[in-house]
Amino acid sequence: MMREIFKAKRGLHGEITIPGDKSISHRSIMISSLADTPVEVTNFLKGADCLSTIACMKAMGVDIEENGGKILVKGNGLHGLKEPASILDAGNSGTTLRLLMGLLSPQNFLTTFTGDSSLQQRPMGRVIKPLTMMGAKIVGRNQNKNLPITIIPAEQKLKGITYQMPVASAQVKSAIILAGLYADGVTAIVEPYPSRDHTEKMLTAFGTNIEKNGNEIKITPIDKLTAPQSIEVPGDISSAAYWIVLASILKDSDVIIKNVGINETRTGIIDVMRQMGAKIDFINERVSGGERSADIRVVYSELHGTTFGDEMIPRLIDEIPAIAVAAAFAEGDTVINNVGELRVKETDRLKSIVDEYNKIAAGAFEATEDSLIIHGVHDFTKAECKTFNDHRMAMSLAIFGAAAEGVVIDNPDCVNISYPTFYDTLFGDT
Ligand code: S3P
């Protein structure tokens, strides 16, 4: 199936409501499943990825009910997960798979995971290595690198380790933290740069002792979580990213994006867009469950190129396909360094950006093994582009086409992974 996105006739105006944060939605279900008392989750993202997490937790005996817009999770305690009757399917979701590998490594039952064709190609050795150091028994295809993966009950209690992570990855960090909850002794993780810290924040709200010292995180095992009665999931800044970029490059735009999570480990896009000359303001800042959120006002402005990399990358890793669109509308060159991780996302996003975006803006995008260079251009063509079934490629191409001369994309429904109402907002008044 193909979908045509037309050139926008005017700028973005009014208010946009975005769905709940994907990372926090996953964690709200997994961590609430380990509590002894029910937790009500509001503004949960009902995207395919988070529904994969719900299905996996239900398969392990957790009672999860949907009540209107709310999800009620009735966990059976920290030691209450049950052996699933069949293989767990993580679908397209790296977060479901990697975090659950950590959570299930200390359990006394066997689990096997599968996933879709994209997830089957993605590297799992990065999670298996530290978990194995803790004493977990995990086997996978291709010398334990890929799905399908089986977690065999460990002979002994896992042990706390000190682990220096080679790449900043919240999924790997979270897997180790979840395993560390059940370990013998303290587990320390050192990241090259801080990645998103939603697991740490949520576990702290559930009474766990997690210390953060620079790039080091220490987790002390616990016997029982003390759950809050409810968790309010803020809107997803990764979903807001499409409107932040579109409003910044579409003339006459002046829009307010409501209730966006602005956790420091996620706001790289705001910093970089401001660096490029974007006009972005936070209104109504508030805190809930340790997570900050705000309404974000974005007003059109002329952008210029910039250079960034290193510690900025984990703070905007999922927004690079959208930021690359903004860079195409900016004056001068933009250079994004240290982005090799993009090659192991839902698709090779560096290659996909260069191959597909250049169909809209010929010669504007170049990549090396781990960097992306964008030459600001002002000539665009209408093109037919491939999404590679990657939700963020689809949404970034859609806003690119809307701001340029239109675009036709394949597999448009892959946006359901993180943003089921994306086209309603794109084609609506705002
Ligand atoms: C996520 C972490 C990031 C991100 C992904 C969600 C998470 O992945 O790209 O979309 O929820 O922990 P990595 O940890 O592999 O960088």
Side-chain angles (χ1 to χ4, degrees):
M1 192 190 142
M2 309 292 283
R3 182 158 199 165
E4 181 161 3
I5 287 101
F6 298 99
K7 180 182 168 75
K9 293 199 186 74
R10 55 184 181 276
L12 296 187
H13 287 278
E15 288 184 351
I16 293 178
T17 306
I18 50 159
D21 187 276
K22 179 157 83 70
S23 295
I24 299 177
S25 292
H26 282 296
R27 287 154 173 85
S28 70
I29 300 299
M30 290 182 197
I31 297 174
S32 299
S33 293
L34 307 176
D36 307 272
T37 50
V39 182
E40 188 179 75
V41 182
T42 56
N43 200 34
F44 175 81
L45 167 64
K46 287 187 198 149
D49 268 13
C50 301
L51 296 178
S52 293
T53 289
I54 289 194
C56 290
M57 299 319 293
K58 277 185 172 175
M60 290 185 286
V62 183
D63 181 357
I64 303 176
E65 291 161 21
E66 210 183 304
N67 183 359
K70 296 172 183 165
I71 308 282
L72 188 64
V73 185
K74 293 181 188 160
N76 300 315
L78 200 58
H79 300 278
L81 296 177
K82 306 211 169 48
E83 178 160 13
S86 54
I87 293 173
L88 296 180
D89 188 352
N92 189 246
S93 175
T95 309
T96 306
L97 176 61
R98 294 196 175 117
L99 269 61
L100 286 185
M101 283 170 67
L103 179 58
L104 298 187
S105 286
Q107 311 297 332
N108 59 4
F109 54 80
L110 183 137
T111 22
T112 296
F113 282 101
T114 188
D116 73 2
S117 56
S118 155
L119 197 59
Q120 285 174 27
Q121 306 306 317
R122 296 182 64 189
M124 296 303 145
R126 53 177 62 192
V127 197
I128 295 177
K129 188 177 169 206
L131 293 175
T132 305
M133 285 168 65
M134 296 175 86
K137 289 225 170 332
I138 307 174
V139 287
R141 179 177 61 88
N142 194 8
Q143 290 170 334
N144 301 335
K145 289 197 198 91
N146 302 106
L147 282 175
I149 280 169
T150 295
I151 302 173
I152 301 159
E155 275 141 31
Q156 281 163 2
K157 203 172 178 186
L158 300 194
K159 54 179 187 298
I161 55 165
T162 295
Y163 189 65
Q164 176 82 47
M165 292 186 25
V167 281
S169 160
Q171 293 179 352
V172 176
K173 173 178 65 175
S174 301
I176 304 171
I177 291 175
L178 289 170
L181 277 180
Y182 296 83
D184 216 356
V186 172
T187 294
I189 307 159
V190 185
E191 293 194 277
Y193 300 117
S195 64
R196 64 193 68 191
D197 63 357
H198 305 302
T199 305
E200 296 92 303
K201 286 206 155 64
M202 197 173 290
L203 278 174
T204 302
F206 277 69
T208 307
N209 178 19
I210 300 197
E211 290 164 59
K212 197 173 175 184
N213 202 342
N215 291 354
E216 187 187 61
I217 300 115
K218 273 191 182 159
I219 161 122
T220 305
I222 194 167
D223 291 330
K224 190 177 156 55
L225 299 177
T226 9
Q229 282 182 345
S230 62
I231 297 174
E232 190 196 330
V233 180
D236 197 333
I237 193 165
S238 298
S239 298
Y242 306 106
W243 316 124
I244 294 172
V245 168
L246 194 55
S248 296
I249 59 181
L250 269 187
K251 282 204 174 113
D252 299 327
S253 294
D254 185 349
V255 76
I256 291 180
I257 311 162
K258 302 285 284 181
N259 185 29
V260 185
I262 51 162
N263 177 317
E264 272 284 308
T265 59
R266 298 284 299 281
T267 46
I269 181 168
I270 306 288
D271 297 346
V272 161
M273 290 295 294
R274 281 180 176 156
Q275 218 168 286
M276 294 173 78
K279 289 189 188 147
I280 303 172
D281 287 308
F282 291 165
I283 316 164
N284 289 327
E285 281 188 50
R286 55 206 175 264
V287 180
S288 165
E291 294 283 357
R292 283 172 66 212
S293 60
D295 301 337
I296 298 185
R297 181 175 177 207
V298 189
V299 179
Y300 165 80
S301 67
E302 282 180 11
L303 302 181
H304 49 83
T306 188
T307 297
F308 59 95
D310 297 322
E311 72 277 4
M312 185 59 89
I313 301 304
R315 298 182 58 225
L316 46 63
I317 185 73
D318 293 340
E319 289 68 75
I320 291 170
I323 293 170
V325 171
F329 286 82
E331 197 66 52
D333 289 354
T334 294
V335 180
I336 313 180
N337 291 311
N338 320 112
V339 280
E341 273 296 293
L342 289 186
R343 295 203 181 273
V344 290
K345 292 294 175 189
E346 284 80 333
T347 185
D348 177 344
R349 287 184 179 155
L350 274 187
K351 181 174 171 7
S352 310
I353 287 173
V354 172
D355 290 352
E356 302 308 310
Y357 288 19
N358 275 332
K359 293 178 183 167
I360 297 176
F365 299 87
E366 283 177 61
T368 67
E369 195 43 39
D370 76 339
S371 70
L372 182 65
I373 301 116
I374 303 124
H375 308 291
V377 286
H378 305 280
D379 284 332
F380 301 105
T381 358
K382 183 173 175 183
E384 206 176 292
C385 297
K386 292 197 192 105
T387 62
F388 304 98
N389 226 359
D390 176 341
H391 56 133
R392 302 212 186 277
M393 283 301 298
M395 292 185 274
S396 301
L397 281 165
I399 58 159
F400 199 177
E405 296 297 324
V407 67
V408 176
I409 56 171
D410 68 349
N411 290 316
D413 292 345
C414 63
V415 305
N416 291 336
I417 288 292
S418 65
Y419 199 160
T421 54
F422 173 77
Y423 297 111
D424 300 339
T425 301
L426 183 65
F427 296 132
D429 250 351
T430 48

